[in-house]
Amino acid sequence: MAPPNGPTPMPRPTATAVIGLQWGDEGKGKIVDILAARHDAVVRFNGGANAGHTVIIAGQKYALHLVPVGALTPGAFAIIGNGVVVDPDALIHEMDGLIARGVDCKNVVVSDRAHVVMPYHKDEDALREVLLAGAGEDEPDPAGEPRGARADRSLGTTRRGIGPAYADKHQRSTAIRIGDLLRPERLRETLELACEIKGRTLPRLTSHPPEGVHPHYNPEHLYEKAMRWGERLQPHIRDTAYFLHDLLAREKRLLFEGANATLLDVDHGTFPYVTSSACAVLGIGPGSGVSERRIETVLGVMKAYSTRVGAGPFPTEQKNAIGDRIRERGKEYGTTTGRPRRTGWLDLVAVRYSAMLNGATGLALMLFDVLEGFDEVKICTAYETPAGRTDRFLPDAYALSEAKPVYETLAGFPSLGASGKPPTRRADLHEHARKYLEFVEERVGIPIRFVSIGPDRAQTLEA
Ligand code: IMP
C-alpha cells in the first residue's frame, strides 16, 4: 500500500468522471446512480445547492441538490469535496429527508475546506439579480444620480448564494469554511467582520429588496446558528483530500459527479451566463485534491436535444410548438427552482466542444424517448456567424448570441423500438433511432456507452 502522504510513483488510474456536456440537467444523476454500484465513493467537486440530480429507484424519486448521489448506494461513500460551496441548512434538510426515507447518511463526508454558503450570500444573490433586472430604475442611485432605464442584465441565477459564496472564498477575509464551524473563536471573529461588511453594502444595492430579504445581520444570531450546524455536521467533517487518497491507496474506485455542466463553467462556458465554479473535468483537481491523472473514464452526459435554465444565448432554442412539445414530454422544469426550462434541438457544435475540453472517452445520451414521434429531427452541426461559417463553439455570450444554427435533418422515429416491445438493447431500436445515435457518435468522434429511454434505472441501454 502506498503511504497516504506520498505520491505513488506511477498511479494506477482508478477514477471515473461523469460530466454534463450541455447547460445542465442532462440526467447525470441517473448515470451516476447506475455507476455508483461499481465504485466505492461518489465525489462532488464543484457547485452547491444550485445543482439538482434526480434519481428514480424502484419507482421512488429522490431529488438531490448537495448530497452526492452515492448516498443512495449501500456501501459507497458520498463525499462533498473542498470545491463545493455548502449551504448547511440545505445539506442538513436533505440528509434529514433521506434518513426519514430510510437512507442511511452515515456515509456522507464533507470537506473541512468546503466553503459555507451563509444567509447573506443568498440575500446578495437575490438583491443583485433584482438590481441587474433594472428594478428601481425610476429612483436615484445611492449617489443621488438618476439610474436611468437600463437593459435587464440579470443572470437568472438559482438564488442559492453560489456566486457570492465563491466571491467570498476568493476574497478570503470574510470566508467561512466548514472546518471553521468547529472553531468557535475564529467563527465568531469572521462573522463579526462579515456582518459588518455585508451590513454596510447589501442594503445599498436596491431599495426594492425581494420578499423575505432583510439585509441586516446579527453576528450573534448567525454564530449560534453556525454552531448548531457544526454540532450536527461534526461526525461528517474530514480532510477529504487525505480521505480520497487513502481510498485510492487501498485501490478503491472513485466516481466524480460533476454538478451544473461544461457550458456553465466559469472559464469555458458562455460567460457571463455561467455559474461560478469549474464544472468540467478540469475542476476535479482543485475541487477535490485528486489529480486528473487518476481518471480513467470520462463519461460525457448529453440530452438528445438541448435545454437551458436562466438567461444566456442558446442558438438552437425553439420558442414554438416543437420546444413546447420537448418541454412537456421531457418534463423540463427545474429540479432546484421549478422554472420551465428553455428547450431546443441538439447542438452538436456545443457537445463536441465540451467533449474536447473534458477529454470524454464515452457518451451517455439521455431522454432519447422524448424525440419519439417527431416526423423529422434536426441537429445543429455548424454556426453561421458574422465572420462566416464555423464548426467551432463560441464560449462567450456576446459572440454566441450572433451565431445562427446550421441544421442537418434526420428522419424521425414513430416509436423507439423496431417492434412494438420496449427496446432492451441498442439493436432493438427503430432504424431511424439507431441512425440518430450513429450520427452523434460519428460527429463527436466518441462512442455512446449509455442510451436512456425513460426515467427509471432499468430504462437504460448499455453498450
Ligand atoms: P447560479 O449557479 O445559481 O449562480 O446560476 C447561474 C446560472 O447557471 C443560471 O442560469 C442557472 O439557471 C444555471 N444553473 C446553475 N446550476 C444549474 C444546474 O444544475 N442545471 C441547470 N442550470 C444551472
Side-chain angles (χ1 to χ4, degrees), residues 23-25 50-52 155-158 162 260 264 274-275 309-310 339:
W23 282 287
D25 314 306
N50 53 350
L155 300 174
T157 72
T158 60
I162 306 299
N260 326 122
L264 293 171
V274 291
T275 188
V309 200
R339 288 181 285 180

Side-chain angles (χ1 to χ4, degrees), residues 108-386:
V108 174
V109 181
V110 188
S111 168
D112 57 356
R113 299 205 284 277
H115 281 248
V116 178
V117 178
M118 296 297 294
Y120 44 73
H121 292 135
K122 290 186 271 189
D123 288 352
E124 184 176 348
D125 203 351
L127 289 165
R128 288 180 67 103
E129 284 289 276
V130 167
L131 175 72
L132 290 167
E137 68 190 24
D138 48 335
E139 294 183 10
D141 72 10
E145 299 295 327
R147 292 176 198 261
R150 66 165 113 73
D152 183 345
R153 297 278 303 263
S154 60
L155 300 174
T157 72
T158 60
R159 302 194 179 190
R160 295 295 187 271
I162 306 299
Y166 277 115
D168 261 349
K169 171 176 175 172
H170 290 271
Q171 289 277 16
R172 294 149 294 157
S173 48
T174 45
I176 294 172
R177 307 205 286 185
I178 290 285
D180 295 330
L181 301 179
L182 309 178
R183 281 196 285 247
E185 279 310 303
R186 174 163 173 87
L187 180 65
R188 193 188 285 274
E189 280 170 18
T190 313
L191 275 173
E192 277 169 8
L193 183 62
C195 288
E196 189 185 331
I197 293 177
K198 306 298 175 188
R200 283 192 202 184
T201 50
L202 300 197
R204 297 172 69 94
L205 285 180
T206 173
S207 50
H208 293 259
E211 225 181 294
V213 175
H214 308 288
H216 299 279
Y217 306 100
N218 179 329
E220 201 49 41
H221 287 171
L222 286 180
Y223 172 77
E224 282 162 21
K225 193 176 174 61
M227 288 299 287
R228 285 198 297 276
W229 289 336
E231 256 168 56
R232 172 66 205 276
L233 294 177
Q234 198 263 336
H236 301 275
I237 301 174
R238 298 264 197 296
D239 177 332
T240 49
Y242 266 116
F243 193 89
L244 291 169
H245 282 279
D246 286 344
L247 288 175
L248 287 170
R250 287 161 43 213
E251 307 224 322
K252 301 291 182 195
R253 295 186 61 86
L254 309 181
L255 176 59
F256 289 98
E257 168 185 334
N260 326 122
T262 308
L263 302 180
L264 293 171
D265 182 281
V266 67
D267 284 292
H268 301 287
T270 50
F271 193 87
Y273 298 100
V274 291
T275 188
S276 303
S277 67
C279 314
V281 161
L282 306 164
I284 291 179
S288 73
V290 175
S291 158
E292 274 172 56
R293 290 171 68 209
R294 307 305 297 254
I295 302 168
E296 181 175 34
T297 305
V298 178
L299 205 55
V301 188
M302 58 182 284
K303 284 179 184 176
Y305 49 89
S306 308
T307 62
R308 175 159 207 170
V309 200
F314 180 2
T316 63
E317 182 168 18
Q318 300 294 307
K319 291 184 184 168
N320 53 29
I322 293 171
D324 292 345
R325 177 169 167 169
I326 292 174
R327 185 175 309 104
E328 292 317 310
R329 292 200 54 150
K331 300 192 180 58
E332 294 293 355
Y333 295 89
T335 319
T336 302
T337 58
R339 288 181 285 180
R341 296 182 185 136
R342 299 159 64 195
T343 48
W345 293 121
L346 179 59
D347 183 343
L348 270 193
V349 180
V351 167
R352 233 178 4 232
Y353 164 77
S354 295
M356 171 189 82
L357 283 182
N358 285 294
T361 58
L363 298 172
L365 189 129
M366 314 303 288
L367 291 130
F368 198 29
D369 50 307
V370 173
L371 292 188
E372 195 177 54
F374 279 104
D375 292 337
E376 55 178 34
V377 282
K378 289 182 190 277
I379 298 183
C380 167
T381 53
Y383 299 141
E384 221 45 271
T385 75

Side-chain angles (χ1 to χ4, degrees), residues 89 99 114 116 405:
D89 270 338
I99 292 165
V116 178

Side-chain angles (χ1 to χ4, degrees), residues 426-445:
R426 200 163 145 176
D428 300 337
L429 292 170
H430 187 282
E431 185 195 346
H432 295 168
R434 275 186 281 126
K435 287 244 164 70
Y436 193 92
L437 300 180
E438 283 157 19
F439 188 92
V440 171
E441 284 179 322
E442 192 212 312
R443 297 304 176 94
V444 185

